[in-house]
Amino acid sequence: MRTGVQLRPWLVEGSSLDEACAQAVAAGFEAAEFGYHFAKPLGAGTVAKMLGANGLSAAALHLGLDWANASDDEVRELAGGAALMAAALGASYILASTQPRGLDGEDALAVATKANHRLRSAGTLAQEHGVTLCLHNHAWEFVREGIFETLSAGLLLAVDVAHLWRAGQDVEARLVEWGQQVRYLHLRDAANNMWAPVLGEGELPLARWVTVCAPAVDWGIVELEPDPLYPQESSAWPGTWTERAARSMAFLAQSGLASPATGTRRASAPRRGYG
């Protein structure tokens, strides 16, 4: 399993993509994931130069859409554009997130079915560029029984273990159940139902969860961000995002999941970027 970091905490606070890349490297990472909407205005050529100048590789591009209500044209434009850019950057994945709209109501199953149809279409478009689409979960897909199963049918998964935990799911049992369907992980820690500022400072058994699905997983991405449910507590976190990311990398190294020097799993041969 290769490791990287999500650039979102720096980007949403106003850093440029180039500055966010530099901060990720300063924290000890050699790969990053970032939102397609941040990269799209710059173009693949400019983004590739930023990554190269910082010695950073692209793990994946993340995209969100109201999939159930999106038109075929919207899906083609978003998924096709993201897959084309991902391929140009050497990334093998795009991650698709849902929105909670309609997934907690009486028509949730119908909404999930429509969203799944669009997501599978997006996955087909991605494959045309040699890129794999994975569905990224949040807690809201588990509000009603069967919704996530409907959304994810026929799709590979990018599992956010903390969102899964927050949804009241047995994370380890789910990872075992999904097996080879899990190709990508978002690693975040939490305690008392709140996000923790740093990996290793919460109560989640991250190392054990990673071990459960490690054979099939290509990337484990550190995702740090303020907790939207507890913004006041998050605003009091000490340190900078770069310091928190560095401490999270140290936790991965101490847990035997990554080496700070390479960002790769110690049990496997070093792999720089995508091949």
Side-chain angles (χ1 to χ4, degrees):
M1 183 186 77
R2 292 169 282 182
T3 55
V5 66
Q6 238 282 4
L7 299 185
R8 189 170 182 273
W10 294 287
L11 293 170
V12 297
E13 289 197 346
S15 293
S16 68
L17 184 58
D18 188 39
E19 291 167 339
C21 289
Q23 293 304 309
V25 172
F29 291 90
E30 291 186 344
E33 171 198 320
F34 44 93
Y36 174 54
H37 65 287
F38 288 112
K40 180 182 177 181
L42 300 173
T46 297
V47 175
K49 289 179 181 177
M50 288 179 180
L51 292 170
N54 286 287
L56 203 62
S57 62
L61 298 179
H62 200 134
L63 53 152
L65 186 66
D66 182 0
W67 296 97
N69 295 297
S71 67
D72 290 340
D73 287 343
E74 288 175 317
V75 171
R76 279 193 295 268
E77 180 180 0
L78 181 65
L84 186 63
M85 177 175 283
L89 297 177
S92 297
Y93 291 95
I94 57 174
L95 311 185
S97 291
T98 72
Q99 297 178 2
R101 179 182 174 188
L103 292 178
D104 59 351
E106 293 182 359
D107 296 328
L109 190 60
V111 171
T113 300
K114 289 173 62 180
N116 174 260
H117 175 72
R118 296 289 191 268
L119 286 161
R120 293 176 72 165
S121 295
T124 299
L125 287 168
Q127 288 178 346
E128 293 175 1
H129 297 286
V131 175
T132 298
L133 180 142
C134 290
L135 176 64
H136 172 276
N137 67 282
H138 292 96
W140 53 70
E141 290 104 348
F142 299 89
V143 171
R144 285 178 175 262
E145 186 176 355
I147 295 304
F148 187 74
E149 287 73 18
T150 302
L151 277 171
S152 61
L155 298 171
L156 296 175
L157 302 179
V159 177
D160 187 310
V161 293
H163 269 291
L164 195 58
W165 168 85
R166 175 172 272 178
Q169 300 292 301
D170 183 329
V171 177
E172 189 166 344
R174 282 293 200 170
L175 291 173
V176 171
E177 173 191 346
W178 292 329
Q180 296 285 322
Q181 196 176 359
V182 182
R183 298 297 177 83
Y184 199 105
L185 293 175
H186 271 179
L187 303 175
R188 187 200 318 263
D189 213 339
N192 301 318
N193 202 42
M194 295 185 292
W195 298 156
V198 175
L199 266 60
E201 293 188 358
E203 62 188 43
L204 305 189
L206 297 174
R208 190 175 80 232
W209 289 346
V210 169
T211 301
V212 167
C213 56
V217 172
D218 198 10
W219 284 101
I221 299 296
V222 174
E223 187 169 32
L224 306 174
E225 63 177 350
D227 192 327
L229 299 185
Y230 303 97
Q232 291 184 331
E233 286 79 359
S234 300
S235 66
W237 288 345
T240 65
W241 288 117
T242 305
E243 291 167 343
R244 295 174 199 132
R247 283 155 52 201
S248 295
M249 170 54 86
F251 166 79
L252 293 177
Q254 291 163 7
S255 301
L257 301 176
S259 163
T262 65
T264 57
R265 187 170 174 80
R266 288 178 174 175
S268 60
R271 298 160 69 186
R272 299 177 65 90
Y274 271 97

